[in-house]
């Protein structure tokens, strides 16, 4: 019976020894072994055996870890009060420094982030903060990355989630925005009316110009037609004169003498038998062989 009890005690001691000596580190964690309270080594993920009862392991998560910071009230350069909420992501790069160089590295990182944010926003005016969150993110990331490197961790990303001005500033901004919208609407309406008037004037001017052009063209066409008619008539008169001149140039002197005789015949048969003629005409008549039915001829 005593032997059985001793055997059971021995088995329990072996089990306790194994439980105290065996450590299994799961990914993505790592372990820090402390022996008699002093750093001994770092354990990677997997199965490990440590000194039982005198050593223990601190497990540290080395995966990227997101952290949401509470809203922080910050004063801008132009004394505007705003509430800023930011988030960040970090991961442990040096497990020994993370455990031993700072009592709470994550808390220190958060405090440094808040302090850096106050300094950056404090040097900017409200409009610069509202419109420059990307610039603030970059400046904040650069500043805290150099500080937190000594904590055994690295900040992978910093992001400003929201920037909310105080209620008074928000009300003033809303009034300003409303006034700006009303001003823009008034300007747009005035520009629309001005544009409408301009288009109407342009249309009237174009119509008037078209009417004047048409009237001027009609006058030009009328003048051209009249000029063409006059030119045609002048050409016809010139043609008739040319034909007559050609005919006269081809006629002999007897033709004209014959015409004179015919004229004298008509005079002789008329009631007036007295004809006054120049000597030159009488001399030309002398070239005619015979004259009949002439009354009294008086040469003057």
């Amino acid at each position: 019976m005593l032997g059985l009890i001793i055997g059971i005690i021995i088995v329990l001691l072996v089990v306790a020894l194994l439980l105290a000596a065996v450590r299994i580190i799961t990914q993505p964690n790592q372990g820090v072994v402390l022996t008699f309270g002093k750093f001994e080594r770092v354990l990677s993920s997997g199965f490990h055996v440590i000194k039982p009862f005198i050593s223990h392991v601190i497990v540290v998560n080395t995966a990227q870890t997101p952290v949401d910071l509470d809203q922080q009230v910050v004063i801008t350069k132009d004394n505007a009060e705003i509430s800023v909420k930011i988030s960040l992501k970090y991961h442990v790069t040096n497990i020994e420094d993370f455990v031993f160089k700072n009592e709470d590295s994550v808390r220190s990182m958060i405090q440094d982030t808040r302090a850096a944010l106050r300094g950056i926003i404090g040097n900017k005016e409200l409009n610069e903060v509202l419109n420059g969150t990307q610039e603030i993110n970059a400046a904040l990331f650069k500043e805290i990355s150099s500080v937190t490197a000594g904590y055994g961790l690295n900040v992978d990303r910093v992001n400003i989630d929201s920037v909310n001005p105080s209620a008074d500033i928000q009300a003033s901004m809303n009034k300003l925005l409303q006034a700006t919208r009303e001003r823009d609407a008034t300007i747009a309406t005035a520009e629309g009316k001005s544009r409408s008037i301009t288009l109407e004037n342009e249309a009237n001017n174009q119509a008037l110009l078209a009417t004047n052009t048409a009237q001027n063209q009609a006058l030009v066409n009328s003048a051209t037609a009249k000029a063409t008619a006059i030119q045609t008539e002048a050409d016809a008169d010139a043609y008739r004169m040319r034909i007559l001149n050609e005919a006269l140039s081809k006629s002999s002197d007897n033709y004209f003498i014959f015409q004179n005789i015919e004229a004298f015949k008509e005079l002789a048969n008329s009631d007036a038998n007295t004809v006054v003629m120049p000597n030159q005409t009488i001399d030309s008549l002398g070239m005619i062989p015979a004259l009949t039915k002439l009354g009294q001829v008086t040469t003057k």
Side-chain angles (χ1 to χ4, degrees), residues 67-74 84-86 88 107-121 140 143-144 158:
V67 177
D68 291 325
L69 277 67
D70 295 333
Q71 282 196 348
Q72 178 179 354
V73 177
V74 185
V84 183
K85 189 177 188 306
I86 63 176
L88 56 83
R107 182 181 178 186
S108 298
M109 176 190 65
I110 294 174
Q111 291 176 345
D112 291 339
T113 301
R114 290 180 176 276
L117 182 65
R118 284 194 300 270
I120 294 172
I121 293 181
L140 184 59
E143 187 166 343
I144 65 175
V158 179

Side-chain angles (χ1 to χ4, degrees), residues 65-67 69 88 90 92 98 102-113 148 151 153:
T65 304
V67 177
L69 277 67
L88 56 83
Y90 75 93
V92 176
F98 181 79
N102 197 297
E103 182 178 355
D104 191 339
S105 296
V106 175
R107 182 181 178 186
S108 298
M109 176 190 65
I110 294 174
Q111 291 176 345
D112 291 339
T113 301
T148 57
Y151 302 154
L153 55 81

Side-chain angles (χ1 to χ4, degrees), residues 11-23 49-53:
V11 171
L12 291 176
L13 289 175
V14 171
V15 171
L17 183 64
L18 291 175
L19 291 176
V22 174
R23 291 290 183 272
V49 176
I50 63 174
K51 300 178 180 68
F53 305 115

Side-chain angles (χ1 to χ4, degrees), residues 16-121:
L17 183 64
L18 291 175
L19 291 176
V22 174
R23 291 290 183 272
I24 297 175
I25 308 298
T26 60
Q27 281 187 318
N29 300 327
Q30 289 185 353
V32 177
V33 179
L34 299 179
T35 302
F36 294 114
K38 183 179 179 182
F39 171 77
E40 180 180 348
R41 59 194 172 100
V42 175
L43 302 179
S44 61
S45 59
F47 179 85
H48 298 277
V49 176
I50 63 174
K51 300 178 180 68
F53 305 115
I54 62 173
S55 298
H56 74 278
V57 177
I58 300 175
V59 179
V60 177
N61 184 1
T62 58
Q64 188 181 71
T65 304
V67 177
D68 291 325
L69 277 67
D70 295 333
Q71 282 196 348
Q72 178 179 354
V73 177
V74 185
I75 305 298
T76 62
K77 185 177 181 179
D78 50 354
N79 295 322
E81 183 179 295
I82 58 176
S83 296
V84 183
K85 189 177 188 306
I86 63 176
S87 61
L88 56 83
K89 297 177 181 179
Y90 75 93
H91 72 278
V92 176
T93 57
N94 189 317
I95 190 170
E96 185 178 353
D97 291 343
F98 181 79
V99 173
F100 298 109
K101 285 191 175 182
N102 197 297
E103 182 178 355
D104 191 339
S105 296
V106 175
R107 182 181 178 186
S108 298
M109 176 190 65
I110 294 174
Q111 291 176 345
D112 291 339
T113 301
R114 290 180 176 276
L117 182 65
R118 284 194 300 270
I120 294 172
I121 293 181

Side-chain angles (χ1 to χ4, degrees), residues 42-248:
V42 175
L43 302 179
S44 61
S45 59
F47 179 85
H48 298 277
V49 176
I50 63 174
K51 300 178 180 68
F53 305 115
I54 62 173
S55 298
H56 74 278
V57 177
I58 300 175
V59 179
V60 177
N61 184 1
T62 58
Q64 188 181 71
T65 304
V67 177
D68 291 325
L69 277 67
D70 295 333
Q71 282 196 348
Q72 178 179 354
V73 177
V74 185
I75 305 298
T76 62
K77 185 177 181 179
D78 50 354
N79 295 322
E81 183 179 295
I82 58 176
S83 296
V84 183
K85 189 177 188 306
I86 63 176
S87 61
L88 56 83
K89 297 177 181 179
Y90 75 93
H91 72 278
V92 176
T93 57
N94 189 317
I95 190 170
E96 185 178 353
D97 291 343
F98 181 79
V99 173
F100 298 109
K101 285 191 175 182
N102 197 297
E103 182 178 355
D104 191 339
S105 296
V106 175
R107 182 181 178 186
S108 298
M109 176 190 65
I110 294 174
Q111 291 176 345
D112 291 339
T113 301
R114 290 180 176 276
L117 182 65
R118 284 194 300 270
I120 294 172
I121 293 181
N123 291 323
K124 294 181 178 294
E125 295 184 353
L126 177 61
N127 288 334
E128 294 176 330
V129 174
L130 296 177
N131 299 321
T133 54
Q134 293 296 329
E135 181 181 352
I136 296 174
N137 285 337
L140 184 59
F141 176 79
K142 181 179 179 181
E143 187 166 343
I144 65 175
S145 294
S146 60
V147 175
T148 57
Y151 302 154
L153 55 81
N154 181 72
V155 176
D156 301 318
R157 181 177 178 83
V158 179
N159 185 64
I160 295 179
D161 297 327
S162 64
V163 178
N164 299 315
S166 63
D168 294 339
I169 295 177
Q170 188 64 52
S172 300
M173 292 174 62
N174 291 337
K175 291 180 181 180
L176 179 61
L177 180 61
Q178 182 65 26
T180 302
R181 289 177 177 175
E182 292 177 355
R183 182 198 62 188
D184 293 342
T186 302
I187 293 175
T189 302
E191 289 179 348
K193 290 181 179 180
S194 176
R195 180 61 178 168
S196 177
I197 294 173
T198 300
L199 292 176
E200 183 178 357
N201 291 336
E202 290 179 354
N204 292 334
N205 292 335
Q206 291 178 356
L208 181 60
L209 179 61
T211 301
N212 292 337
T213 302
Q215 291 177 351
N216 292 336
Q217 187 63 38
L219 292 175
V220 170
N221 293 338
S222 177
T224 302
K226 290 181 180 180
T228 302
I230 293 173
Q231 182 64 38
T232 301
E233 184 177 358
D235 292 342
D237 291 339
Y239 177 76
R240 286 194 297 270
M241 292 298 296
R242 182 170 57 82
I243 296 300
L244 180 59
N245 290 333
E246 290 178 357
L248 292 176

